[in-house]
Structures are given as structure tokens and as C-alpha cells.
């Protein structure tokens, strides 16, 4: 009997020791993985902070077509990115001698579908899908194709270039996966590989959900960085109120464990996060540090420059993308191929922001496009 008890004791001790070794091994492996991830993320963030990237877009193309009218169908003009790209389209259209009309989908599937159909009925020369999934308005896009109206997306798909399967002559965008990756890499670097992150998204928009899924996947390359919540708050009239109340609840629940947040749109999400942090008595540089993974609106720049409630944004070169949209339409009107040009990904920080209020690359793109068009 004593021998049997002794055997059980030895066996139990061995099992406990094996379990401890296994647990220690897992912790060591996680630390090693995160050290590697931190090194990779640091390199990527340093590269993205460069503000002086040269023009790598087109330098030749067809001369300007005459007298075209472009309809810009917006997901919602409350979205700073959508509105900023539209402003770039208008600026470029004025330079080439065209007219732009805006139809606002007001953030609803019904509104976007009606606006797309209206653009076809009004005999647009070209239609922009401004920030929403073209598959949700496929009937209107098919009608546009039947009427020989080229359709170009702005952030309508995850990749840039021609998208014939969804009826787009081309899609103008930074690469979504690059924006997602650099946003998550910033959180890894800012937390030094150990902290707690909340990711804000809108699951009803496939592009937004895809972006935030990519962000979460990149965050998971550093196992010691905890994803506290993957938050679904739809973009619409109530976004600001919902984000403010959710931020207050998250601050109460997680306290100092919440060290970073990443939002799929800085203007729509970080603005109310900042309001809630201020109301909670947080100082501007307190945790959580906030990242806008897209948009780059002027209020984001103001917060970053002042060091108040936002650390970084991954902005779109909105004006440059608007000029690219007009150039791509001109190629379509002249039976030329789309360029497939992809703007570089940029990370705005307090250190590199200077006096800028938007990301407008100083690479001479306006003069280059006007030279191409002969205007």
C-alpha cells in the first residue's frame, strides 16, 4: 500500500513537472515570437513614417476627353475619407474641364442603391462608387455597363486596379492589407509587444470588416498583445453617440489594461473616443493611445499635432486619389487600359506631421496629370 502511494506521488510529481516545463516553454516561445514580431513591426513603421516618397504613378496617357459629367455616389458624405476623395475629384475635374455631381447614399444600402440607379438614369458619363461594396448595387452597375458608362471605385474593393468581376473599370485605393498591417504594427511597437487593444469596425460593410479582420490577424502575430474586444459599431448618424458610450464602458471595464485602440476610420471613431476620454478625466497622452486606420481627416491631424487623444493615423492621399480617379476615367473614355497605380502607405505621427492638416503628397502629381491631359 505504501509502495502504491509512493508510486502515485512520484508519477504526480513528474506530471506536474512536465506541465510546468510545457507552460514555461509556451511562455518562452510566445516571448520569442513577439520579439520577432516587434522587430518586424518596428522596421515597417519606420518605413511608413517617411514623408518624402517620390511619385511612382503614371507619366503618360491619353489627352483630355471633352465635356464629361461624372456622378460621385457617396456611401455617406459624413465619412471624411469619402468626402475628401470627392473634393479631389472635383479639383481634378475642374482642371480637365469636366463637371462633377454628388449623390449621397446617406450610409444606407437603400440610399446607395437608389443613388446608383439615379446616376444611370441621369445618363452620367462616368460613375464613382465612393466607399462601398459594388456588389450591393450590382443591378445598377449592370445597367451602367449596358449603357456603356464606366464605373470606378474608390475604396470599393480590397485591391487596386481593374475589377471586372464586380463591374469596375478600376478601383482606386491604397492596399487595404497594407493599411491594416501598418496600423497593427504601430500598436505592437507602441505597446512594446505587451498591452491590450480594442479594434473598432463596422461589420456591415465588407471592406471595413475585411480591414479589421486583417488588423486582428496582424495583432495576433504578437501573442502577448491581448485583443480586449473586437467591437462592431455601424457607421451612421448614431456612430458618435454609440462610440462615446462604448468607450466609457470599456474604460470602466478594462482600466489601465486598455493601452491601444485601432479604428477602421479615424474621423468617425477616434473623434468620439477622444470626447469620451476627455469626459472621463483622461489627459491627452494617457492610455489608450489611438490609431485611425484610414481617413486622415483634419480633426485627426489636429489631435496628433497637439498630442491629445490620438497618436497616429494611416491617412489616404485623398486629393491625389481624386485626381487619379479622373485620370482613370479619361483612360476609359479613350479606350485605354487602367493604370492600376497604388499610392504608398503612410503613417502620420507627431514627429512627422509638421504643419499639415491632410496627407497631400508633395510629389508633383497635379502637374504630372495636367501634363498627361494636355491642359
Amino acid at each position: 500500500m505504501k509502495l502504491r502511494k509512493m508510486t502515485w506521488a512520484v508519477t504526480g510529481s513528474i506530471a506536474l513537472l512536465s506541465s510546468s516545463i510545457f507552460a514555461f516553454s509556451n511562455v518562452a516561445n510566445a516571448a520569442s515570437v513577439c520579439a520577432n514580431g516587434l522587430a518586424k513591426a518596428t522596421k515597417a513603421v519606420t518605413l511608413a513614417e517617411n514623408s518624402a516618397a517620390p511619385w511612382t504613378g503614371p507619366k503618360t496617357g491619353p489627352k483630355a476627353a471633352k465635356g464629361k459629367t461624372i456622378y460621385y455616389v457617396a456611401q455617406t458624405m459624413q465619412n471624411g475619407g469619402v468626402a475628401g476623395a470627392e473634393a479631389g475629384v472635383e479639383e481634378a475635374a475642374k482642371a480637365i474641364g469636366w463637371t462633377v455631381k454628388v449623390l449621397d447614399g446617406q450610409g444606407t444600402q437603400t440610399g446607395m442603391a437608389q443613388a446608383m440607379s439615379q446616376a444611370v438614369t441621369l445618363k452620367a458619363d462616368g460613375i464613382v462608387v465612393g466607399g462601398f461594396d459594388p456588389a450591393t448595387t450590382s443591378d445598377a452597375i449592370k445597367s451602367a455597363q449596358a449603357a456603356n458608362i464606366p464605373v470606378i471605385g474608390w475604396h470599393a474593393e480590397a485591391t487596386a486596379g481593374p475589377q471586372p468581376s464586380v463591374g469596375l473599370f478600376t478601383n482606386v485605393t491604397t492596399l487595404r492589407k497594407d493599411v491594416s498591417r501598418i496600423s497593427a504594427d504601430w500598436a505592437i511597437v507602441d505597446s512594446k509587444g505587451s498591452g491590450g487593444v480594442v479594434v473598432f469596425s463596422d461589420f456591415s460593410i465588407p471592406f471595413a470588416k475585411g480591414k479589421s479582420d486583417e488588423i486582428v490577424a496582424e495583432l495576433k502575430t504578437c501573442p502577448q498583445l491581448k485583443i480586449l474586444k473586437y467591437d462592431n459599431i455601424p457607421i451612421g448618424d448614431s456612430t458618435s453617440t454609440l462610440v462615446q458610450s462604448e468607450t466609457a464602458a470599456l474604460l470602466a471595464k478594462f482600466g489601465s489594461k486598455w493601452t491601444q485602440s485601432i479604428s477602421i476610420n479615424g474621423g468617425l471613431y477616434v473623434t468620439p473616443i477622444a470626447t469620451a476620454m476627455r469626459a472621463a478625466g483622461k489627459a491627452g497622452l494617457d492610455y489608450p493611445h489611438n490609431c485611425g486606420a484610414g481617413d486622415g481627416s483634419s480633426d485627426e491631424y489636429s489631435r496628433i499635432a497637439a498630442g491629445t487623444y490620438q497618436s497616429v493615423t494611416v491617412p489616404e492621399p485623398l486629393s491625389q486619389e481624386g485626381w487619379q480617379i479622373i485620370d482613370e476615367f479619361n483612360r476609359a473614355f479613350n479606350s485605354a487600359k487602367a493604370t492600376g497605380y497604388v499610392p504608398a502607405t503612410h503613417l502620420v505621427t507627431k514627429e512627422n506631421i509638421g504643419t499639415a492638416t491632410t496627407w497631400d503628397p508633395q510629389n508633383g502629381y497635379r502637374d504630372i496629370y495636367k501634363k498627361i491631359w494636355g491642359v
Side-chain angles (χ1 to χ4, degrees), residues 265-331:
N265 180 290
L268 293 175
Y269 291 89
V270 182
T271 300
I273 288 172
T275 300
M277 287 181 65
R278 189 178 291 108
K282 292 276 189 179
L285 295 176
D286 284 351
Y287 290 118
H289 294 167
N290 299 303
C291 169
D295 193 2
S297 56
S298 58
D299 60 317
E300 292 187 81
Y301 273 72
S302 296
R303 285 191 293 270
I304 293 169
T308 53
Y309 309 109
Q310 185 165 355
S311 298
V312 296
T313 186
V314 188
E316 295 297 325
L318 298 171
S319 181
Q320 178 182 291
E321 288 175 334
W323 281 69
Q324 183 185 348
I325 287 170
I326 292 299
D327 181 66
E328 301 288 7
F329 272 125
N330 193 52
R331 291 169 193 272

Side-chain angles (χ1 to χ4, degrees), residues 26 60 69 73 141 151 237 243 265 315:
N26 280 348
T60 61
T69 299
V73 179
I141 290 177
V151 180
D237 292 340
V243 173
N265 180 290

Side-chain angles (χ1 to χ4, degrees), residues 9-53:
V10 171
T11 303
S13 296
I14 292 172
L16 181 60
L17 179 60
S18 297
S19 177
S20 298
I21 292 171
F22 181 73
F24 178 80
S25 176
N26 280 348
V27 170
N29 287 339
S32 175
V33 168
C34 206
N36 293 336
L38 180 57
K40 177 182 72 69
T42 300
K43 183 177 179 180
V45 165
T46 300
L47 181 64
E49 289 172 345
N50 176 22
S51 300

Side-chain angles (χ1 to χ4, degrees), residues 17 80 103 129 186 225 281 294:
L17 179 60
L103 298 174
V129 173
W186 164 80
L225 190 62

